[in-house]
Amino acid sequence: MSKILEGRWTAKLEGSFVVFIIGMRINKPWLIHRWLPLVVQMTRMLRELYPRPDLGFMGGKTWFGRTIVLIQYWRSFEDLEDYAKARDLEHLPAWAAFNRAIGTNGDVGIYHETYCIEPGQYENVFVNMPPTLIGAVAPMIEARGARASARGRLTDSKPTA
């Protein structure tokens, strides 16, 4: 378990980055043979991504339930797109398998959202938390002084001229 950072902290990345939210919803839980392969495939993708920072994946967090949510951080949209289209990596075969096995039959739902974040367009605060979400992929600094407020953190993340 990560050490709790007592007090108020903020995470700051240099430059632009991408927040990618992806997941699935188990619409028919009793059809384990329909949704379990997707969980296995996503696990394979994450095992492939974590040791390969050259692919642009910075890290993320997963929550499990009937709806599974993964929040991921990528260096750029181009890196994310390159990974999605790479024939020699895990995603493209998994996507093809999903379309063959599930397609639009409704047993399992999948989704994703992509946010391209520019400097000065995000802020965050973590109070008495271990590094998590963006805090797990970006340097953490104390949120005091100008960084004590959301507006101050937002202004602090804008590029300097």
Side-chain angles (χ1 to χ4, degrees):
M1 176 178 263
S2 297
K3 180 183 176 218
I4 293 173
L5 298 177
E6 293 179 358
R8 295 169 55 89
W9 295 82
T10 188
K12 183 177 177 184
L13 280 170
E14 294 297 322
S16 59
F17 61 96
V18 170
V19 178
F20 185 61
I21 303 171
I22 186 168
M24 63 181 262
R25 182 175 190 277
I26 301 168
N27 294 327
K28 298 177 181 174
W30 59 92
L31 297 179
I32 295 170
H33 67 286
R34 305 296 273 169
W35 56 263
L36 186 59
L38 298 175
V39 172
V40 170
Q41 289 167 336
M42 180 53 77
T43 301
R44 284 186 191 137
M45 285 184 256
L46 292 171
R47 284 189 184 141
E48 174 177 67
L49 287 166
Y50 272 101
R52 299 272 317 267
D54 59 300
L55 296 174
F57 176 73
M58 295 188 293
K61 179 73 176 157
T62 305
W63 289 270
F64 287 96
R66 184 171 181 181
T67 298
I68 299 170
V69 179
L70 295 87
I71 298 178
Q72 300 180 346
Y73 296 88
W74 289 78
R75 182 53 50 207
S76 70
F77 179 77
E78 290 73 23
D79 287 338
L80 174 60
E81 185 178 41
D82 288 348
Y83 179 73
K85 293 180 176 183
R87 294 183 184 277
D88 60 333
L89 299 173
E90 293 287 339
H91 175 267
L92 198 58
W95 179 238
F98 171 82
N99 282 307
R100 280 191 308 275
I102 306 295
T104 58
N105 78 7
D107 293 346
V108 179
I110 59 171
Y111 63 90
H112 80 253
E113 298 179 4
T114 306
Y115 300 94
C116 299
I117 311 296
E118 294 298 324
Q121 300 301 306
Y122 73 98
E123 71 84 26
N124 56 77
V125 69
F126 301 90
V127 181
N128 302 326
M129 290 284 298
T132 190
L133 295 169
I134 194 170
V137 301
M140 297 288 283
I141 49 181
E142 285 191 83
R144 58 183 172 173
R147 295 185 195 109
S149 70
R151 181 166 301 281
R153 289 186 298 276
L154 197 58
T155 301
D156 182 59
S157 69
K158 290 184 179 171
T160 56

